[in-house]
Amino acid sequence: MAVSVASCCFSVVNASLKLQSSVSSPRCFVAASLKSTPRASNEKRKALRPDSSPKLNPEKKYPGRVRDVHRDGISGKGGDVGGHQKMAFKAFGSPKKEKKESQSEFREQQTDPAKIHDASFLNAVVKVYCTHTAPDYSLPWQKQRQFTSTGSAFMIGDGKLLTNAHCVEHDTQVKVKRRGDDRKYVAKVLVRGVDCDIALLSVESEEFWKGAEPLRLGHLPRLQDSVTVVGYPLGGDTISVTKGVVSRIEVTSYAHGSSDLLGIQIDAAINPGNSGGPAFNDQGECIGVAFQVYRSEETENIGYVIPTTVVSHFLTDYERNGKYTGYPCLGVLLQKLENPALRECLKVPTNEGVLVRRVEPTSDASKVLKEGDVIVSFDGLHVGCEGTVPFRSSERIAFRYLITQKFAGDVAELGIIRAGEHKKIQVVLRPRVHLVPYHIDGGQPSYIIIAGLVFTPLSEPLIEEECEDTIGLKLLTKARYSVARFRGEQIVILSQVLANEVNIGYEDMNNQQVLKFNGNHIRNIHHLAHLIDMCKDKYLVFEFEDNYVAVLEREASNSASVCILKDYGIPSERSADLLEPYVDPIDDTQALGQGFGDSPVSNLEMGFDGLVWA
């Protein structure tokens, strides 16, 4: 089975899943498989994940070659990323007889396939040229070799363009070109919504906007509605139009954002370069943004579109806060209650509700929800025993869809059954805290080098760049299934050792979690830097997994650091963010329970469809 994402930089490949982004740039592959896990269906997301730069580090493996990006909205050399949807335009199908009623010229252009190229709404679709320079997560003090990709975008008014976040990820330069024009204009990325894979661009040139007509955003389509996808995929330089129908509407895994949001599945062709392009209905209204595709030997023509409800949520969030705050999360692990005996044991009288199996300590739900509670309603809507809620007239959709309709900081009312007693509780919804992040805020990873020992936080981009085999099963399991116990917690690892006589005997150490420094538990990379700076002891003692210990003489380490940095051409011993004053993320009196990053993981949580993170 293979999944292909319409993103700008890479394709994910696995024995069971394959993701490709539709961007003209280098290829990147990531192992993944479809599972429902505490890491928000991590394997499935990896298969869909369209991260471009941090995956394979193609510059090192294929020097001199242009990097291929495979994502639906971006076309790159050799890269093909399918959007998750297939689009079809009934009006663009077979010619229709002329109706007696007068119709607008716009409507006639839609219904007459011979005039598609004259349709005015096509002029609102532009081609995006992006130059990417991604961080090097293995060598966090430097960047990877730059590469280029192309994608699509469209005008939404007020001097702004909408495209996919993966199309402009790690951008150093973005240019856009209108249909029928031979000039490229410099664009600026105003904001990115990584979890929803949407980005907002602006172009200052007034000439670019002359005669421009923004697209109208339409409503959520119905099944079998015609859809037309427009963009600039591989295969040519001019605009491309493909048609299809709406096949399915449900909560979908977003490959780039590693999140589950509402998505529209279509059967229209989505190829590399289509990412960021609009999908139209028969009325010429934009009903979504092409962004990824699903590929496997058993299926074909499965593409995905980000619906306008997600687009509106992104734009509203940005307008309210002046920045993008992200989608909120309830922060609980839920189990379906399909078994009658299970419902009877929990004193649930009706065929409804989901069992709270686990509550994340960093979520506000931890203050009001307990393990063993049964959630039977969300803001007055009843939750079924399969974890679904009513959707439109005769459909049902995953319960977490209701959560994605909220904004960070919103309050939701939950109806629960606790020990047979019905209760109503209020929960504040906030974005989920990931112990191992899928994306690095600010782009460049944190690091500190002590006597040649390179420490950095564990992240998904680092795992993908290093390859899972070199990370080790134990650390990989923590990355996939552990949860943060407090905001700001990180898994800090010794990435590598830069050989020097001061660190003799430790040269072969790499990718090992450091748990303590001089007897103190390490909370995050900034905490480690703080402890080292405050240390007055003769020795620096680092304790790793499996009771491995590395000891350095403090004064000798400080003397050797300057020489090591010079020998390896490293500009600084630590990243700029670690120069800021350290702020403790937790109370010193707060009980931390189990060891850091050492939360228990059961086989059920690692791949049972009955368990779903909300």
Side-chain angles (χ1 to χ4, degrees):
M1 185 179 293
V3 177
S4 186
V5 176
S7 59
C8 55
C9 303
F10 79 78
S11 54
V12 179
V13 176
N14 187 335
S16 59
L17 289 177
K18 180 180 179 181
L19 262 186
Q20 294 180 329
S21 34
S22 53
V23 180
S24 304
S25 53
R27 297 182 178 178
C28 298
F29 300 91
V30 178
S33 59
L34 292 174
K35 283 188 180 179
S36 177
T37 69
R39 289 283 292 165
S41 302
N42 182 70
E43 296 183 345
K44 180 177 181 180
R45 289 213 177 82
K46 275 188 142 185
L48 290 172
R49 193 168 188 170
D51 281 354
S52 51
S53 47
K55 307 294 177 186
L56 282 187
N57 197 5
E59 300 82 12
K60 295 181 179 179
K61 294 191 176 183
Y62 307 105
R65 292 180 60 182
V66 178
R67 184 174 187 180
D68 274 338
V69 177
H70 298 255
R71 300 184 182 178
D72 290 350
I74 304 173
S75 61
K77 295 186 179 180
D80 164 350
V81 180
H84 281 88
Q85 328 88 323
K86 299 177 180 182
M87 300 191 155
F89 210 149
K90 290 181 180 177
F92 289 165
S94 56
K96 296 183 179 180
K97 294 182 179 179
E98 247 181 319
K99 293 185 178 180
K100 292 183 179 179
E101 303 85 45
S102 61
Q103 295 182 345
S104 66
E105 179 182 355
F106 172 72
R107 178 83 60 139
E108 290 175 353
Q109 289 173 345
Q110 288 182 317
T111 56
D112 187 352
K115 296 182 179 179
I116 294 179
H117 63 282
D118 293 327
S120 59
F121 59 82
L122 297 183
N123 295 327
V125 185
V126 304
K127 190 170 185 178
V128 178
Y129 301 81
C130 185
T131 300
H132 312 259
T133 307
D136 190 326
Y137 294 91
S138 298
L139 305 174
W141 51 85
Q142 67 185 31
K143 298 276 191 178
Q144 296 185 22
R145 186 176 181 180
Q146 73 177 26
F147 63 96
T148 61
S149 69
T150 63
S152 305
F154 58 94
M155 303 173 183
I156 60 170
D158 196 25
K160 294 181 177 62
L161 299 168
L162 205 67
T163 187
N164 284 144
H166 69 252
C167 292
V168 291
E169 185 183 29
H170 303 308
D171 68 287
T172 51
Q173 183 185 71
V174 179
K175 295 178 290 185
V176 294
K177 186 172 71 172
R178 291 185 60 177
R179 180 190 180 202
D181 196 353
D182 62 352
R183 179 180 173 185
K184 297 175 184 176
Y185 298 84
V186 175
K188 177 183 178 183
V189 179
L190 296 178
V191 61
R192 293 184 192 84
V194 175
D195 54 359
C196 61
D197 200 4
I198 300 175
L200 198 61
L201 311 180
S202 68
V203 179
E204 295 183 358
S205 174
E206 295 181 1
E207 186 177 350
F208 174 81
W209 298 102
K210 286 183 179 179
E213 295 184 12
L215 297 181
R216 292 174 292 134
L217 297 182
H219 299 291
L220 194 67
R222 296 281 179 176
L223 296 181
Q224 297 186 2
D225 279 359
S226 297
V227 184
T228 299
V229 179
V230 180
Y232 292 87
L234 291 175
D237 294 327
T238 58
I239 199 166
S240 170
V241 178
T242 57
K243 300 182 294 179
V245 298
V246 175
S247 307
R248 180 183 291 147
I249 299 176
E250 64 179 3
V251 175
T252 303
S253 290
Y254 280 44
H256 178 70
S258 302
S259 54
D260 291 333
L261 302 173
L262 191 65
I264 304 172
Q265 179 182 319
I266 64 172
D267 62 2
I270 297 179
N271 295 301
N274 270 125
S275 286
F280 295 100
N281 59 19
D282 283 347
Q283 288 71 48
E285 297 172 330
C286 175
I287 55 94
V289 185
F291 75 118
Q292 64 188 25
V293 297
Y294 184 92
R295 302 193 189 283
S296 77
E297 296 178 356
E298 294 80 17
T299 63
E300 59 183 23
N301 294 337
I302 296 181
Y304 294 89
V305 172
I306 302 172
T308 52
T309 52
V310 176
V311 173
S312 297
H313 188 284
F314 166 80
L315 295 175
T316 301
D317 189 352
Y318 176 62
E319 291 171 1
R320 283 184 181 181
N321 304 292
K323 62 179 182 179
Y324 181 69
T325 60
Y327 277 84
C329 175
L330 185 57
V332 296
L333 179 64
L334 303 173
Q335 179 178 343
K336 300 175 183 179
L337 295 183
E338 297 177 278
N339 186 278
L342 178 58
R343 292 197 300 271
E344 184 177 352
C345 178
L346 294 170
K347 301 179 181 180
V348 179
T350 57
N351 185 24
E352 63 180 359
V354 285
L355 174 65
V356 176
R357 287 241 15 257
R358 190 173 179 182
V359 184
E360 291 189 341
T362 56
S363 70
D364 283 63
S366 63
K367 303 173 184 177
V368 293
L369 280 176
K370 299 179 180 179
E371 293 180 4
D373 288 346
V374 177
I375 300 176
V376 295
S377 68
F378 184 95
D379 280 348
L381 281 177
H382 291 286
V383 180
C385 64
E386 289 188 338
T388 60
V389 295
F391 180 63
R392 300 202 286 198
S393 59
S394 59
E395 301 174 66
R396 296 190 71 84
I397 197 167
F399 158 60
R400 56 188 180 274
Y401 165 74
L402 297 180
I403 302 173
T404 64
Q405 301 308 295
K406 299 283 190 176
F407 292 89
D410 285 355
V411 177
E413 182 182 75
L414 298 181
I416 67 171
I417 296 178
R418 179 178 295 167
E421 181 182 355
H422 287 263
K423 294 177 176 288
K424 295 285 186 180
I425 61 173
Q426 306 287 323
V427 179
V428 179
L429 303 175
R430 304 189 189 281
R432 190 180 183 191
V433 177
H434 292 285
L435 179 62
V436 178
Y438 285 98
H439 296 269
I440 305 297
D441 293 335
Q444 201 67 20
S446 303
Y447 74 92
I448 183 170
I449 303 174
I450 302 299
L453 277 64
V454 181
F455 296 97
T456 188
L458 185 65
S459 65
E460 288 294 337
L462 176 60
I463 293 174
E464 292 159 4
E465 188 170 294
E466 284 286 301
C467 295
E468 295 182 351
D469 291 343
T470 64
I471 292 294
L473 182 59
K474 189 171 184 178
L475 196 56
L476 191 61
T477 301
K478 285 187 178 183
R480 294 287 181 266
Y481 308 111
S482 295
V483 296
R485 284 169 176 70
F486 53 87
R487 291 182 180 274
E489 183 183 10
Q490 295 175 325
I491 294 179
V492 182
I493 66 169
L494 172 62
S495 174
Q496 61 179 303
V497 176
L498 307 175
N500 183 274
E501 60 183 23
V502 74
N503 54 47
I504 288 178
Y506 307 137
E507 303 94 331
D508 296 330
M509 294 181 65
N510 65 84
N511 295 329
Q512 296 186 39
Q513 182 182 5
V514 55
L515 301 175
K516 295 180 181 180
F517 173 77
N518 283 10
N520 297 297
H521 277 287
I522 297 171
R523 299 170 180 174
N524 52 46
I525 186 69
H526 208 157
H527 184 223
L528 174 60
H530 173 72
L531 292 175
I532 293 173
D533 291 341
M534 296 296 103
C535 179
K536 303 299 181 183
D537 297 341
K538 180 178 180 180
Y539 297 106
L540 307 178
V541 182
F542 299 92
E543 297 179 48
F544 299 86
E545 283 278 3
D546 301 322
N547 298 321
Y548 192 91
V549 179
V551 179
L552 299 169
E553 204 278 321
R554 181 171 61 85
E555 293 186 0
S557 298
N558 293 338
S559 301
S561 291
V562 175
C563 180
I564 293 173
L565 295 179
K566 182 179 178 181
D567 290 344
Y568 287 88
I570 302 173
S572 175
E573 70 167 1
R574 65 183 68 187
S575 53
D577 60 309
L578 300 187
L579 297 175
E580 300 293 329
Y582 172 70
V583 178
D584 201 331
I586 61 174
D587 246 340
D588 288 337
T589 58
Q590 180 178 341
L592 296 176
Q594 302 168 22
F596 287 77
D598 204 16
S599 60
V601 179
S602 70
N603 290 332
L604 287 180
E605 291 180 9
M606 296 173 67
F608 175 44
D609 287 340
L611 300 173
V612 179
W613 279 101

